[in-house]
Amino acid sequence: MASKDHLILATDLDGTFLGGSEGQRREFYQYIQTHRDRLQLVFVTGRTLAAVEPLFEEPDFPRPDYIIADVGTTVFDGTLTPVIEIQEWIAAKWGNAGAQVRELLAGEPGLEPQEIDPQYRVSYYYRPDELRSATLEKIDRAGFEIIRSADRFLDVVPRGIAKGPTLMKLLSMYRRAEDRAIAAGDTLNDWSLFETGLKSIAVGNSEPKLVEKIQTMKNVYHSPHPGAAGIWDGLKHYGAVF
């Protein structure tokens, strides 16, 4: 994946790598492309792979070395080939639980199924004022993890799986990579990235609930700048610029 001298940037997409003004994104992307011989790029996103691929149609958009998609439940290399070792680890935790989860949550107030059918998660839109604590407790008792973000998205995933654990699983496949990894995000589904203890960046447009949770975290730098500009500012904060 990376030599001991490579920087590994593991970044969320929406609101983070894709956030900020067009000019800020263009400048940061050019910087990344200029230093690809020294920088490994990992997208860590709630999007499905199919929703990531259209980004590559833009000629100046950096192509990642790895994609952790589906809030940590699928992993692909730069050729969009599944990383089998990690996929098997996730699959073993999930089994064939999709139908079980959908049946478990059928008719629960405050939940609306998303129009996607990912392999190792079940995804909903949720309404915070209607979602019951009893519903969340039911999911937990059934042995699943709950990931919420932006007061809109709720994912039911295998226990112990999220963006952070999957990123650490990927990094563990490569010697000493954790020493050179920096994570970046903007919503609660990025919280698990920060929980890893890696140097991390919360960009300036971060969800208020995420900002509240990072107040005592010494490994997280909260940039005043939004999106891509916030990532770049965070890299400078950590002395990780070339």
Side-chain angles (χ1 to χ4, degrees):
M1 180 181 185
S3 76
K4 65 179 181 179
D5 297 321
H6 276 88
L7 170 67
I8 302 167
L9 174 60
T11 176
D12 173 57
L13 286 173
D14 295 285
T16 308
F17 198 76
L18 299 176
S21 70
E22 181 180 352
Q24 290 169 331
R25 293 194 302 272
R26 182 172 58 249
E27 186 177 9
F28 184 54
Y29 297 169
Q30 288 174 347
Y31 169 80
I32 287 177
Q33 299 287 46
T34 300
H35 298 287
R36 285 313 295 272
D37 60 329
R38 302 174 64 185
L39 184 149
Q40 299 279 309
L41 184 62
V42 182
F43 290 160
V44 192
T45 178
R47 293 190 181 203
T48 63
L49 180 64
V52 174
E53 288 183 272
L55 298 172
F56 305 144
E57 297 174 7
E58 297 295 326
D60 298 323
F61 188 80
R63 196 174 183 101
D65 297 279
Y66 289 90
I67 301 169
I68 297 173
D70 295 295
V71 290
T73 63
T74 56
V75 186
F76 306 88
D77 65 20
T79 68
L80 309 186
T81 302
V83 179
I84 297 301
E85 178 180 337
I86 301 179
Q87 288 297 129
E88 290 178 345
W89 170 67
I90 294 167
K93 288 178 173 289
W94 183 246
N96 295 308
Q100 176 189 349
V101 171
R102 285 187 285 271
E103 182 178 354
L104 182 72
L105 297 180
E108 288 288 337
L111 291 178
E112 177 186 346
Q114 292 188 35
E115 304 83 2
I116 55 175
D117 187 24
Q119 193 168 9
Y120 303 121
R121 63 168 168 146
V122 179
S123 301
Y124 296 89
Y125 301 110
Y126 83 98
R127 296 179 291 277
D129 56 337
E130 297 179 32
L131 183 66
R132 303 184 306 180
S133 59
T135 302
L136 302 180
E137 291 167 3
K138 180 165 36 171
I139 298 170
D140 182 68
R141 285 197 306 270
F144 300 104
E145 200 84 34
I146 305 161
I147 300 176
R148 286 180 286 174
S149 66
D151 280 339
R152 185 185 180 199
F153 304 105
L154 185 149
D155 289 281
V156 181
V157 301
R159 178 79 78 196
I161 299 295
K163 288 183 176 183
T166 302
L167 174 62
M168 295 305 287
K169 186 76 170 179
L170 180 64
L171 294 179
S172 72
M173 296 171 62
Y174 304 95
R175 206 173 161 192
R176 299 203 302 173
E178 294 91 340
D179 298 338
R180 296 292 292 161
I182 297 177
D186 73 306
T187 71
L188 277 180
N189 74 18
D190 300 310
W191 165 246
S192 66
L193 291 173
F194 302 164
E195 283 188 303
T196 62
L198 296 174
K199 294 176 182 176
S200 299
I201 304 160
V203 295
N205 53 298
S206 289
E207 178 182 359
K209 289 181 179 178
L210 180 66
V211 173
E212 181 180 349
K213 289 175 75 72
I214 66 173
Q215 292 305 306
T216 60
M217 300 186 73
K218 295 182 179 180
N219 66 305
V220 183
Y221 169 67
H222 185 195
S223 173
H225 304 285
I231 301 173
W232 204 356
D233 173 56
L235 296 180
K236 293 172 183 175
H237 170 80
Y238 289 119
V241 290
F242 306 111

